């Protein structure tokens, strides 16, 4: 943003500078033609033609940054016409001299070096030819001492040098921006690595606390009848270990929480929230039917959250990629497992079947189901549309 603002400011200053320089050239030219007590020999032709030439010089200066080649050609043409009328002149018009120096500099500063050199050689050739014609006709040339050519080529060389400095400055600016980006990226990676290390350490602490709590609970169960006081003490130790583990778990979540994530705590999503999800998708244009079969039962929090995420991701894929009008979500509480079926009347993600892991989010869904000892299959339904089917054992690995 700062770079674009600076470029606009420089462009505005350059345009105003060109207008000011054009005004100076036109003013000097008109003064030399119409106001000076003695008309300079360089304007010995008709005054109206000389005035038109001065106006052309001003226009060439105004447009010199956008079209250097054409602007230089205009100046060369104007000088050629003026000097054709001014044979025998002993000096150059000041306005024309300023204009040719400005265009020589611009050609070096705003054109590639090879093209700019070619343009300068062409302009010099035109002037040399005219010099030769003047000398053959017996007229002295104001450029025959080559001082004019030296000054013009020095102006072009100065433009070439400024162009090189500007390109190096732009390259350094780009390099600086790149280094800043890499430094920020390195800082983020370092912070992520440190948070990962802390998360591993806190995971070990939490796992140890949970293990101790389980051992104390098991010992208390064995002692509760024979030695109730000792069992009570053991349960207190288990409670203390559980509280410590919960504290460390909260720290772990704080370490893993993304910087942009809100610190507010809210209950995790579960299958009880499917009605709200279905209603929200209905507002988005997808007609979703929710069917619950069997007797609902209390699920482990992790299993409940994973089941909700599977349904949510499958419906999101349907809404984004399947071009479906209707979808059916079937939640079936079987005897030993939870069955989820999400079917739609669309075409489904491209190349997404049981043997392909390239579907839209299907790989993550399969991993989520496998985490709880379940399976997930996705592919085209026999009667058309796309179907996602998942089974999650109630006593899953992560449950």
């Amino acid at each position: 943003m700062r770079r674009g603002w600076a470029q606009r400011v420089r462009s505005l200053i350059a345009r105003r500078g060109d207008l000011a320089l054009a005004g100076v050239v036109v003013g000097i030219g008109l003064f030399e033609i119409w106001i000076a007590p003695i008309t300079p020999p360089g304007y010995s032709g008709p005054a109206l033609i000389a005035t038109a030439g001065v106006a052309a010089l001003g226009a060439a200066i105004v447009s010199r940054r956008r079209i250097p080649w054409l602007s230089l050609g205009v100046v060369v043409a104007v000088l050629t016409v003026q000097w054709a009328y001014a044979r025998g002149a002993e000096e150059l018009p000041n306005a024309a001299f300023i204009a040719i120096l400005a265009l020589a500099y611009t050609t070096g500063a705003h054109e590639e070096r090879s093209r700019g050199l070619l343009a300068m050689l062409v302009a010099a050739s035109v002037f040399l030819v005219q010099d030769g014609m003047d000398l053959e006709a017996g007229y002295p040339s104001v450029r025959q001492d080559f001082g004019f050519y030296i000054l013009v080529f020095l102006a072009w060389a100065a433009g070439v040098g400024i162009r090189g400095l500007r390109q190096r400055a732009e390259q350094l600016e780009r390099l600086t921006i790149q280094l800043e980006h890499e430094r920020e990226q390195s800082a983020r990676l370092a912070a992520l690595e440190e948070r990962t290390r802390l998360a591993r350490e806190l995971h070990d602490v939490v796992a140890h606390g949970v293990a101790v709590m389980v051992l104390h609970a098991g010992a208390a169960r064995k002692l509760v009848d024979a030695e109730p006081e000792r069992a009570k003490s053991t349960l207190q130790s288990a409670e203390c270990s559980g509280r410590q583990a919960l504290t460390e778990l909260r720290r772990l979540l704080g370490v893993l929480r993304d910087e942009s994530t809100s610190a507010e705590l809210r209950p995790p999503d579960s299958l009880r929230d499917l009605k709200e999800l279905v209603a929200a998708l209905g507002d988005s244009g997808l007609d979703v039917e929710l069917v619950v079969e069997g007797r609902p039962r209390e699920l482990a929090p992790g299993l409940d959250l994973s089941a909700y995420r599977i349904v949510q991701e499958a419906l999101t894929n349907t809404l984004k990629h399947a071009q479906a009008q209707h979808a059916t979500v079937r939640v079936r509480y079987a005897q030993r497992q939870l069955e989820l079926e999400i079917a739609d009347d669309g075409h489904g993600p491209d190349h997404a079947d049981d043997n392909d892991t390239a579907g839209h989010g299907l790989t993550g869904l399969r991993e989520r189901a496998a985490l709880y000892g379940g399976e997930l299959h996705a592919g085209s339904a026999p009667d058309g549309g796309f179907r996602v089917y998942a089974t999650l054992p109630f006593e899953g690995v992560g449950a």
Side-chain angles (χ1 to χ4, degrees):
M1 184 66 70
R2 293 195 303 270
R3 183 181 181 186
W5 179 82
Q7 286 180 342
R8 288 194 294 271
V9 172
R10 288 196 295 265
S11 178
L12 179 61
I13 294 175
R15 287 198 299 271
R16 292 187 175 181
D18 289 343
L19 289 174
L21 180 59
V24 170
V25 169
V26 172
I28 292 176
L30 294 178
F31 179 84
E32 290 177 331
I33 297 170
W34 297 99
I35 301 177
I38 300 176
T39 302
Y43 289 112
S44 58
L48 291 179
I49 294 179
T51 302
V54 169
L57 293 179
I61 291 176
V62 170
S63 60
R64 66 191 180 102
R65 299 178 191 272
R66 295 190 300 272
I67 43 175
W69 268 73
L70 182 58
S71 299
L72 179 63
V74 169
V75 172
V76 171
V78 169
L79 293 183
T80 302
V81 172
Q82 286 183 348
W83 289 330
Y85 279 103
R87 285 187 163 188
E90 297 179 356
E91 63 182 59
L92 293 173
N94 292 322
F97 186 65
I98 295 173
I100 190 63
L101 289 181
L103 266 298
Y105 168 83
T106 303
T107 302
H110 295 278
E111 282 285 3
E112 295 181 0
R113 185 175 301 179
S114 58
R115 294 180 59 183
L117 179 60
L118 177 61
M120 295 302 299
L121 291 176
V122 171
S125 300
V126 173
F127 294 148
L128 286 172
V129 169
Q130 189 173 19
D131 280 346
M133 294 173 61
D134 288 345
L135 293 175
E136 289 179 0
Y139 297 109
S141 173
V142 296
R143 294 156 291 176
Q144 62 185 0
D145 59 356
F146 289 98
F148 168 80
Y149 297 100
I150 293 174
L151 288 176
V152 170
F153 272 91
L154 284 177
W156 173 78
V160 171
I162 293 297
R163 175 184 172 85
L165 291 176
R166 185 173 64 247
Q167 289 178 337
R168 283 193 288 273
E170 291 175 353
Q171 184 178 5
L172 287 175
E173 185 178 2
R174 289 193 298 269
L175 182 60
T176 300
I177 294 175
Q178 181 181 355
L179 289 176
E180 289 179 356
H181 177 73
E182 291 178 354
R183 183 169 61 250
E184 292 174 358
Q185 187 71 13
S186 298
R188 285 195 296 267
L189 291 176
L192 179 60
E193 182 178 355
E194 181 66 15
R195 287 192 342 218
T196 302
R197 184 185 66 80
L198 292 174
R200 286 196 297 266
E201 294 178 357
L202 291 174
H203 171 269
D204 294 340
V205 173
V206 172
H208 173 73
V210 172
V212 171
M213 184 172 57
V214 171
L215 290 175
H216 286 166
R221 178 178 57 83
K222 295 178 180 179
L223 297 173
V224 67
D225 294 329
E227 302 180 55
E229 291 298 326
R230 187 178 176 186
K232 181 179 179 181
S233 176
T234 303
L235 288 175
Q236 289 177 345
S237 298
E239 180 183 4
C240 181
S241 298
R243 292 183 182 277
Q244 292 177 352
L246 182 59
T247 300
E248 297 300 331
L249 182 59
R250 287 173 177 168
R251 291 178 182 172
L252 174 61
L253 293 177
V255 170
L256 295 179
R257 180 180 292 117
D258 187 81
E259 296 177 357
S260 62
T261 303
S262 172
E264 295 182 4
L265 297 177
R266 61 180 296 272
D269 294 318
S270 71
L271 292 178
R272 292 186 296 271
D273 302 317
L274 284 182
K275 291 183 179 180
E276 297 178 4
L277 176 63
V278 167
L281 290 174
D283 295 337
S284 301
L286 179 64
D287 180 27
V288 182
E289 179 185 3
L290 176 62
V291 179
V292 179
E293 300 178 357
R295 182 180 179 182
R297 55 179 293 179
E298 191 71 23
L299 302 177
L303 179 63
D304 200 3
L305 174 61
S306 289
Y308 176 86
R309 292 290 184 230
I310 290 174
V311 175
Q312 182 185 44
E313 182 66 22
L315 289 176
T316 300
N317 287 339
T318 297
L319 183 64
K320 288 184 177 180
H321 310 291
Q323 298 180 358
Q325 301 296 325
H326 179 78
T328 301
V329 176
R330 195 176 302 276
V331 181
R332 183 180 299 110
Y333 291 88
Q335 184 176 1
R336 298 181 178 274
Q337 64 184 12
L338 176 69
E339 300 177 7
L340 304 173
E341 182 182 14
I342 304 94
D344 60 61
D345 57 0
H347 57 70
D350 297 334
H351 308 294
D353 53 37
D354 289 340
N355 297 322
D356 189 359
T357 60
H360 299 276
L362 295 179
T363 300
L365 295 185
R366 291 190 179 97
E367 292 178 354
R368 188 181 289 275
L371 178 64
Y372 290 92
E375 296 180 353
L376 185 140
H377 304 279
S380 299
D383 54 350
F386 195 77
R387 177 176 177 266
V388 176
Y389 179 74
T391 58
L392 300 172
F394 291 131
E395 303 297 332
V397 175

